[in-house]
Amino acid sequence: MAPLSGRRLYYTINFVAGLAIFFFGYDQGMMGGVNTSPDYVRTMGLGYSTYEGPSEGYVATITKPTRQGGIVSIYYFGTLLGCLMGGIAGDRLGRIKSMMLGSAWVLVGAALQCSAQNLAWMLCARVVNGIGTGCLNAIVPVWSAEVATHTSRGAFIASEFTLNIFGVVVAYWLEFAMGFVGSGDTQVRWRFPVAFQILPVLAFMALIPLMPESPRWLLKVGRKEEARIILGRLRSETGDPEDDKAVAEYEDIVAVVALEKQNSKRNSYISMFFGLHGGDLHIARRVQLSIWLQIVQEWVGIAAITVYAPTIFAEAGYSSRKSQWMSGLNDVTYMLSTLMAVVTIDRWGRRIGLYWGAIGQGISLILAGAFARLLKDNPEKAAQYGGAAAFFVFTYTAIFGATWLTIPWVYPTETFPLEVRAKGNAFGVVGWSIGNGWLTLLNPVMFSRIGENTLHIFGAINFLSIPMVWALYPETANRTLEEMNLLFASKSPWVWDEEAHFKKLKAERPELEHVGGSRLVGGGEIPVDVVDADEKGTSKSDL
């Protein structure tokens, strides 16, 4: 049978990458239900449970929230380690082998978690699982970005995040169903959902060896013929490596690889973070943009809503079971909203999405907090104020899913040079791990001390993020990966200076326009035409 090519190959890669992202969402959503399982609470020494009748079953009460939060947050220590390992492996071993390596770690971690008998066992298992997840998070989006076209790169990755939130939904409803087994006090209520994550990982491991390696990585390591064939399969419905689009992209990547090899000293994490040997590439600037966008993603309130939404539903007068239904429906809304990101992320761009997302999220959080306060002060009007608070929880979740969920994950996959792209994306996962781990521990303390005012703080942070994006984050939508070196070539970090410098570089060499302008690339110090000229024996000049 002839190998897949064109759209069929494109969509198959999207689906296979989506399996890993589905697992990632499931793994995150899983602990919410595990933490409420009476047998888990008893096994880990987190509290006790009481029987509240046949309609509610056993309900757990947590007496050691710090220990509970520690079990959840130590996972992000694992993802921090894993993404750094994955960045190194991804650039050295390739995207495919690195994803297999991360999947193996996940399988070990999942097996250890679902068989855990005490706190220490569970903590070790969470770290191992986190290492595997961090590795996959560092590599899968990069692989997706490198096989996608520059006009659909955002939608390609955003569609995978629909599966990510579908994983959250599956985790929630599976654990909700497990609560009806027996009286809700069984081991299966938490061990089966933990073990279930193994299934998508096994499917991913079975399919990933059949997928093509990133043509950009192949060219980086000198496997030119393989890269040429794969680009032909990706850009042509007939799989023709001589297709005009495939040839143009191949030549662009070859030029970039040749130039980037001149700056190989910048490859280490330390060199990248501190900007050593980077010249006009300004790698350190890109590192900081990636880290902080992911940290701010957590500080715009999603972690707070995840924690506080069930409380709002309960205080609105809904029973325990009905509150669980509301939380589950909120997750479904979350998943459906990601489809809007698929449609808008490339058409409107990254900056517009972050702008309107921050405005909508900020307003929703402030109003949700206000109605939650009114709900506490006026319990006799629980239906009105509780319903309003619940509405703005749903609104916030939908806007986040359409904007801030996906864009901070897409941005780091686009902005780094090919030579260090996996390591660069790993820095984004570092920011995500820091933001998640930090707020997993901090949120319970904030809600216990200042209650619904916590939502006002996160609402304000949304508005503070707008000038940050406006001033520091240039637009990457509909620009090729090879153009990013020119976009960040300006010595100034301000967006207006970067855009002006980018236009100047393009205007100076209009004859170099290729498909999407991607011929205008370089290592930050020497333009492509100089390489071409040098190959013909003529002199070089500086950028």
Side-chain angles (χ1 to χ4, degrees):
M1 187 175 67
L4 294 177
S5 60
R7 290 186 180 182
R8 288 187 300 167
L9 176 60
Y10 202 64
Y11 292 142
T12 302
I13 292 173
N14 201 204
F15 170 75
V16 173
L19 283 175
I21 303 295
F22 169 85
F23 150 75
F24 166 42
Y26 181 90
D27 202 42
Q28 273 199 297
M30 173 192 73
M31 286 305 291
V34 169
N35 279 333
T36 62
S37 171
D39 183 76
Y40 171 81
V41 168
R42 187 166 54 250
T43 302
M44 300 302 157
L46 306 178
Y48 63 92
S49 60
T50 53
Y51 184 68
E52 298 189 3
S55 63
E56 303 294 332
Y58 279 90
V59 177
T61 300
I62 305 299
T63 58
K64 296 182 178 179
T66 303
R67 179 181 289 189
Q68 182 193 47
I71 294 174
V72 175
S73 63
I74 201 170
Y75 169 81
Y76 297 106
F77 173 69
T79 62
L80 186 65
L81 297 176
C83 71
L84 295 174
M85 291 169 51
I88 294 171
D91 284 331
R92 290 185 181 177
L93 304 178
R95 315 316 190 206
I96 299 296
K97 289 181 180 178
S98 299
M99 288 186 285
M100 288 294 288
L101 179 65
S103 300
W105 275 91
V106 167
L107 288 182
V108 174
L112 288 172
Q113 276 191 92
C114 68
S115 58
Q117 301 296 321
N118 52 56
L119 179 64
W121 188 331
M122 190 65 175
L123 289 172
C124 291
R126 293 283 291 165
V127 171
V128 173
N129 205 14
I131 289 173
T133 306
C135 183
L136 290 175
N137 285 350
I139 304 302
V140 175
V142 167
W143 180 55
S144 299
E146 289 182 335
V147 299
T149 64
H150 69 282
T151 55
S152 63
R153 187 171 58 239
F156 192 88
I157 299 175
S159 64
E160 293 167 6
F161 274 86
T162 300
L163 287 173
N164 174 262
I165 306 306
F166 180 56
V168 175
V169 171
V170 170
Y172 186 88
W173 288 108
L174 179 62
E175 289 171 327
F176 181 77
M178 289 295 102
F180 291 94
V181 176
S183 299
D185 194 31
T186 61
Q187 290 190 38
V188 73
R189 179 170 177 177
W190 69 275
R191 293 193 188 275
F192 178 74
V194 173
F196 184 83
Q197 66 184 294
I198 293 174
L199 295 180
V201 176
L202 286 176
F204 179 72
M205 293 182 76
L207 292 172
I208 200 66
L210 306 177
M211 295 297 102
E213 179 58 90
S214 161
R216 287 173 165 84
W217 182 82
L218 289 171
L219 279 169
K220 173 191 163 186
V221 297
R223 292 158 62 177
K224 295 184 177 181
E225 186 60 24
E226 289 178 67
R228 196 175 67 85
I229 292 171
I230 290 173
L231 275 171
R233 290 173 60 196
L234 286 168
R235 303 295 179 248
S236 167
E237 292 298 324
T238 60
D240 181 13
E242 300 303 321
D243 179 84
D244 289 345
K245 290 182 180 178
V247 170
E249 192 168 347
Y250 175 84
E251 292 176 357
D252 295 339
I253 302 168
V254 168
V256 170
V257 169
L259 291 167
E260 289 184 355
K261 286 187 181 298
Q262 300 173 8
N263 297 280
S264 59
K265 290 182 180 179
R266 65 167 182 260
N267 278 355
S268 72
Y269 283 121
I270 293 175
S271 294
M272 293 173 67
F273 188 84
F274 291 104
L276 306 177
H277 315 293
D280 290 337
L281 290 170
H282 301 116
I283 301 296
R285 184 190 306 170
R286 309 189 210 192
V287 167
Q288 294 300 324
L289 292 178
S290 298
I291 291 175
W292 284 101
L293 189 60
Q294 285 280 23
I295 290 176
V296 173
Q297 182 199 42
E298 297 307 312
W299 277 90
V300 295
I302 187 61
I305 284 293
T306 302
V307 170
Y308 202 55
T311 302
I312 290 177
F313 298 148
E315 289 179 350
Y318 303 121
S319 67
S320 176
R321 290 288 191 205
K322 195 166 185 179
S323 294
Q324 291 175 328
W325 272 98
M326 292 286 286
S327 295
L329 290 174
N330 189 40
D331 286 341
V332 173
T333 302
Y334 192 9
M335 178 187 72
L336 294 175
S337 70
T338 62
L339 296 174
M340 184 174 180
V342 175
V343 175
T344 62
I345 192 169
D346 289 315
R347 292 183 182 180
W348 296 356
R350 319 304 186 232
R351 285 162 60 86
I352 294 296
L354 294 174
Y355 288 154
W356 82 262
I359 293 169
Q361 290 163 189
I363 293 171
S364 297
L365 285 174
I366 290 170
L367 291 175
F371 282 111
R373 179 75 260 175
L374 290 170
L375 177 60
K376 281 186 178 179
D377 294 340
N378 303 277
E380 72 281 359
K381 295 184 178 180
Q384 298 97 311
Y385 292 140
F391 171 78
F392 285 109
V393 167
F394 274 72
T395 302
Y396 171 87
T397 305
I399 295 172
F400 181 85
T403 56
W404 275 81
L405 168 69
T406 53
I407 295 172
W409 283 102
V410 171
Y411 205 84
T413 69
E414 303 176 300
T415 50
F416 287 94
L418 170 60
E419 190 179 351
V420 292
R421 188 165 292 137
K423 290 192 185 77
N425 191 52
F427 275 112
V429 183
V430 166
W432 174 81
S433 301
I434 292 171
N436 258 301
W438 188 0
L439 285 174
T440 300
L441 290 174
L442 186 59
N443 265 324
V445 177
M446 292 177 71
F447 281 115
S448 66
R449 297 290 178 86
I450 60 175
E452 67 287 338
N453 288 323
T454 304
L455 299 182
H456 295 147
I457 292 174
F458 289 122
I461 291 172
N462 273 277
F463 292 107
L464 292 175
S465 73
I466 294 173
M468 179 191 81
V469 172
W470 172 73
L472 296 172
Y473 286 82
E475 184 59 72
T476 58
N478 298 309
R479 286 171 169 161
T480 69
L481 296 176
E482 286 67 49
E483 282 182 306
M484 296 303 162
N485 287 341
L486 289 185
L487 183 61
F488 288 96
S490 169
K491 296 186 184 303
S492 169
W494 306 116
V495 166
W496 47 90
D497 290 330
E498 290 176 326
E499 290 288 354
H501 192 62
F502 178 77
K503 289 179 181 178
K504 177 185 175 184
L505 293 175
K506 294 192 72 172
E508 287 174 353
R509 298 175 178 85
E511 74 279 4
L512 295 178
E513 288 290 338
H514 227 187
V515 178
S518 59
R519 192 74 168 123
L520 265 172
V521 295
E525 295 162 1
I526 307 172
V528 173
D529 58 330
V530 172
V531 173
D532 293 340
D534 187 53
E535 288 173 353
K536 297 172 184 175
T538 55
S539 62
K540 295 183 179 181
S541 62
D542 293 327
L543 180 64

